[in-house]
Structures are given as C-alpha cells and as structure tokens.
Amino acid sequence: MAAVRGLCLTAAALRAVTPWQGVSRLLAASRGPRALRELSSSSPEAGEGQIHLTDSCVQRLLEITEGSEFLRLEVEGGGCSGFQYKFSLDTVINPDDRVFEQGGARVVVDSDSLAFVKGAHVDFSQELIRSSFQVLNNPQAQQGCSCGSSFSVKL
C-alpha cells in the first residue's frame, strides 16, 4: 500500500508513484463537525443507504479525475480497530457497485463496503501535514483509532 502524506498530488502523479491497479492512494478517516452538503445518489433510494459528499470532496475530485475516473471507497479488514477505509481512483464499475454522483464528481462503493459506511460523509481535507479524502460522521462506526484511518463497527 502506498502511503501519500503531506502531498497534494494530481491523478497523473498518483499513477507515477503507484503504477499498479487497486492500490490505495489516499486514505484517512476523521470525526468532527464540518459544513456538509448532501449528495443525491444515482439510485432512487434515499436516506441511510446514501453516501454524502462535501463540497471540498466534489471540488477535489473534479481537479484530479480524468475522463471516466471516479473515487472508489472500500472498507477492508485491518487497522488497529478492525476495519479501515481504502480510497483509490478507478474506471471500472462492477455489477454490485453503487454510484453516488454530485456536480460531475462520482464516488463508487461496492455493496459489501456500503453496509459499513451507509449514511457517512466523504470529505477532502487539506492540512499542513497531509491532504486526503476522509470518511466523516460514519453512523456505522462505534469508535476509531487515534490515527483516524481505522474503525470498529456498532454491533
């Protein structure tokens, strides 16, 4: 897994440092209040099965994606709390994927991962020490680790 910290990279630069497919390019998770704007899904379902995008997430995705690229959000086992968020740029939509779109920016989540992040918000945060996509206000998470990249689920 390639760790990208403290850099704000374009999609082309990400491809240069991570030439193989499926590797996480940016990952982080955080909790805290933020100005959030809801996203409408490409499916007719509404409510808790949604993923919401902040304006900063939409803006950053429009800057770094090219053509048919989108941000893929996956949940994997691991991290110090049991599960971790994985972000990558992708171009292939699988049959079990849900597409969430706002203002031309797309975030895709597979059905298994959606169960762990439904109702959450995806944000892009730019700080002095790092720039990253983050999952905020995840109603499925009970607690997270101090680094903010992993979480445990509510039972």
Side-chain angles (χ1 to χ4, degrees):
M1 203 160 164
V4 179
R5 292 187 174 258
L7 298 175
C8 188
L9 300 175
T10 65
L14 286 170
R15 281 189 214 78
V17 292
T18 312
W20 55 89
Q21 292 289 338
V23 174
S24 177
R25 295 185 181 147
L26 300 170
L27 72 99
S30 178
R31 292 176 304 277
R34 295 200 185 251
L36 300 173
R37 180 176 172 147
E38 292 193 3
L39 156 79
S40 44
S41 170
S42 59
S43 77
E45 298 173 13
E48 67 183 45
Q50 300 290 315
I51 298 297
H52 309 280
L53 299 183
T54 64
D55 290 336
S56 62
C57 175
V58 170
Q59 179 181 358
R60 186 63 182 146
L61 282 173
L62 292 175
E63 293 170 358
I64 67 170
T65 55
E66 300 170 354
S68 63
E69 284 184 315
F70 54 82
L71 182 68
R72 178 173 292 281
L73 168 58
E74 297 175 281
V75 174
E76 298 180 330
C80 47
S81 295
F83 294 95
Q84 61 189 0
Y85 303 111
K86 177 183 173 185
F87 290 100
S88 61
L89 294 179
D90 199 349
T91 57
V92 177
I93 297 177
N94 300 314
D96 71 331
D97 286 340
R98 287 272 311 271
V99 179
F100 301 92
E101 187 170 13
Q102 178 177 319
R106 295 184 298 165
V107 174
V108 174
V109 184
D110 64 88
S111 60
D112 292 335
S113 296
L114 186 59
F116 294 101
V117 295
K118 61 186 176 183
H121 295 83
V122 178
D123 185 34
F124 180 77
S125 174
Q126 193 163 358
E127 302 169 4
L128 288 175
I129 61 170
R130 75 171 172 218
S131 298
S132 60
F133 288 100
Q134 305 177 4
V135 173
L136 304 176
N137 303 325
N138 183 355
Q140 310 312 313
Q142 179 173 336
Q143 65 184 18
C145 65
S146 62
C147 69
S149 64
S150 66
F151 66 100
S152 62
V153 295
K154 292 180 181 177
L155 298 177

